[in-house]
Amino acid sequence: MSKIQMKTPLVEMDGDEMTRVIWQQVKDILIKPYIDLKTEYYDLGLNNREKTKDQITLDSAEATKKYGVAVKCATITPNAARMPEYNLSEMWKSPNGTIRAALDGTVFRAPILVKGVTPYIPTWTKPITIARHAYGDVYKNTEMVVKGGSKAELLVTKPDGSQETSTIHEFKGDGIIQGLHNLDSSIGSFARACFNYGLDTKQDVWFSTKDTISKKYDHRFKDIFAEIFENEYKDKFEAAGIEYFYTLIDDAVARVIRSNGGYIWACKNYDGDVMSDMIATAYGSLAMMTSVLVSPDGVYEFEAAHGTVQRHYYKHLKGEETSTNSVATLYAWTGALRKRGELDNLPELMDFADKLEKAIIDTIESGIMTGDLYLISKLENKKKVNTTEFLEAVNETLKKAM
Ligand code: NAP
Ligand code: MG
């Protein structure tokens, strides 16, 4: 069998710990035997980020803008404990944060459903996709601790030099304040990314904020979404038979719980951070989530939603057997290959991505799975396998499909 050819390279961002181990095995066992793989390789492992003073992360983001599609392995975001462990000269920033800021994107996360794993909300028969705005708000905040007797004000100096102030609070006792911002341009990109994704995947788009309380800040989000929808998307949505609707976040939460899934829930940055973990857990496992960052100019970065699975890696280093779930990492690869195939008009590459995803699901539904799923699967013939055995079992299924 001849290997599938590629035209444009994928931007490949390698990472850390257990997911780095899995990364190599995924390529060796499931990608390279079938595809003449073309990538531009960026090692975002923490050692190399230290060595390059994090320049490698910025370079990989630039390469993503140039080529249009990236696939990223999970990476360590250093904390105090990592400083001596990796002999770091600086506590380097989260690579995901750096890449998101460079691409100004929206992160879409959706659960991967398999038979045998019932969501904690059993009526959720279809996936719920969370679209998280990846710019601003509390992630770019300015905070202060304030002494009693202080008066805190918002002060804006306008381009003409004039100033506008507004009192936040006159503090009798000690307290705290926080300043947040967002940009009309970024909110507009967020709205367009959500509407485009809705059209791409033929799903309704829901958007929720707290605009009844935040009458200017959250209201601005609501207005920008409404305006862009009216002017640019209303007809397209009608033609596709899908809907956009806005509701207060409290109401959205209640509706989500009562729903059957099958829509995109657009969330502000913080809401999306929290709700995506809630959704992932409710569907069963963080390792069964797809995650893709989509920029307003149509650049895609596919990744796993979970971390580097440190606990399993330390077992692996001690020579102990691990049973780490590689599904989210595999879906990062299939997502990237399919998108590359779409952009380069390579139906064979898109078809391979479909077949590999089907082989993954079929393997798990045949009863072969890693420890995390073994704990929650209701299949009677279920069997727990180790990290490598799972990938090999997927390959056996895939061989039959090719
Ligand atoms: P984690 O990697 O998400 O793992 C936490 C726990 O969740 C694991 O110990 C494991 O539970 C379970 N788990 C997560 N992924 C799994 C998988 N694929 N298969 C099986 N079980 C899985 O979080 P962490 O270990 O606390 O964080 C490690 C590093 O990841 C941190 O340095 C953090 O900065 C980084 N991180 C990176 C990203 C990213 O790059 N996207 C995201 C989050 C965190 P059991 O131990 O019970 O088996
Ligand atoms: Mg989070």
Side-chain angles (χ1 to χ4, degrees), residues 109 132 273-274 276-277:
R109 288 198 167 161
R132 171 182 171 191
D273 185 353
V274 178
S276 54
D277 279 12

Side-chain angles (χ1 to χ4, degrees), residues 360-391:
I360 295 162
I361 302 299
D362 287 350
T363 303
I364 297 170
E365 294 187 344
S366 80
I368 301 173
M369 60 193 79
T370 46
D372 56 322
L373 293 181
Y374 183 81
L375 283 175
I376 54 175
S377 172
K378 295 200 175 72
L379 292 184
E380 277 176 10
N381 62 336
K382 63 183 175 179
K383 180 175 170 234
K384 179 180 161 178
V385 294
N386 70 33
T387 308
T388 314
E389 284 166 351
F390 178 75
L391 292 168

Side-chain angles (χ1 to χ4, degrees), residues 86-102:
Y86 284 84
N87 202 7
L88 300 181
S89 60
E90 222 179 280
M91 209 184 278
W92 304 109
K93 284 196 203 135
S94 151
N96 290 326
T98 303
I99 294 164
R100 273 176 212 153

Side-chain angles (χ1 to χ4, degrees), residues 124-317:
W124 287 358
T125 51
K126 288 176 272 180
I128 297 170
T129 302
I130 297 272
R132 171 182 171 191
H133 186 205
Y135 179 84
D137 299 350
V138 73
Y139 303 86
K140 281 239 185 251
N141 68 355
T142 311
E143 306 181 314
M144 274 187 216
V145 174
V146 176
K147 278 273 159 234
S150 311
K151 178 181 176 187
E153 291 169 293
L154 280 178
L155 165 68
V156 176
T157 308
K158 299 180 186 176
D160 66 4
S162 68
Q163 294 188 320
E164 190 180 332
T165 59
S166 176
T167 301
I168 298 170
H169 193 68
E170 299 200 19
F171 285 84
K172 293 201 175 70
D174 295 353
I176 41 188
I177 58 166
Q178 181 179 58
L180 307 181
H181 82 277
N182 222 301
L183 306 170
D184 286 3
S185 61
S186 181
I187 300 166
S189 302
F190 172 39
R192 288 188 182 91
C194 294
F195 295 141
N196 287 338
Y197 205 79
L199 287 169
D200 262 6
T201 59
K202 297 262 178 303
Q203 296 184 93
D204 292 347
V205 176
W206 300 12
F207 181 43
S208 59
T209 72
K210 193 71 183 174
D211 67 293
T212 48
I213 298 297
S214 173
K215 290 191 165 63
K216 295 223 168 86
Y217 198 104
D218 278 18
H219 214 281
R220 187 93 191 129
F221 278 81
K222 178 183 174 181
D223 286 346
I224 290 175
F225 264 70
E227 198 185 306
I228 290 177
F229 181 74
E230 276 304 312
N231 295 338
E232 301 171 30
Y233 290 92
K234 199 165 184 247
D235 298 344
K236 292 181 199 158
F237 267 51
E238 257 170 38
I242 56 174
E243 278 184 7
Y244 165 63
F245 97 98
Y246 174 86
T247 186
L248 201 61
I249 188 151
D250 327 35
D251 179 50
V253 169
R255 284 172 189 261
V256 164
I257 297 295
R258 290 194 306 264
S259 78
N260 298 125
Y263 48 85
I264 296 159
W265 182 11
C267 291
K268 286 176 62 201
N269 209 347
Y270 172 82
D271 299 340
D273 185 353
V274 178
M275 289 305 167
S276 54
D277 279 12
M278 195 267 294
I279 295 280
T281 309
Y283 274 99
S285 167
L286 207 56
M288 298 295 284
M289 289 288 280
T290 62
S291 181
V292 56
L293 174 72
V294 184
S295 88
D297 34 341
V299 166
Y300 292 75
E301 183 240 321
F302 294 84
E303 53 165 17
H306 58 78
T308 59
V309 213
Q310 182 180 23
R311 208 181 63 82
H312 296 207
Y313 181 58
Y314 288 175
K315 275 175 72 177
H316 170 80
L317 286 183

Side-chain angles (χ1 to χ4, degrees), residues 17 22 72-78 82 96 109 286-287 303-312 323-326 372:
E17 299 194 311
I22 288 175
K72 181 181 170 292
C73 180
T75 46
I76 291 170
T77 299
R82 300 294 194 172
N96 290 326
R109 288 198 167 161
L286 207 56
E303 53 165 17
H306 58 78
T308 59
V309 213
Q310 182 180 23
R311 208 181 63 82
H312 296 207
S323 182
T324 313
N325 190 332
S326 50
D372 56 322

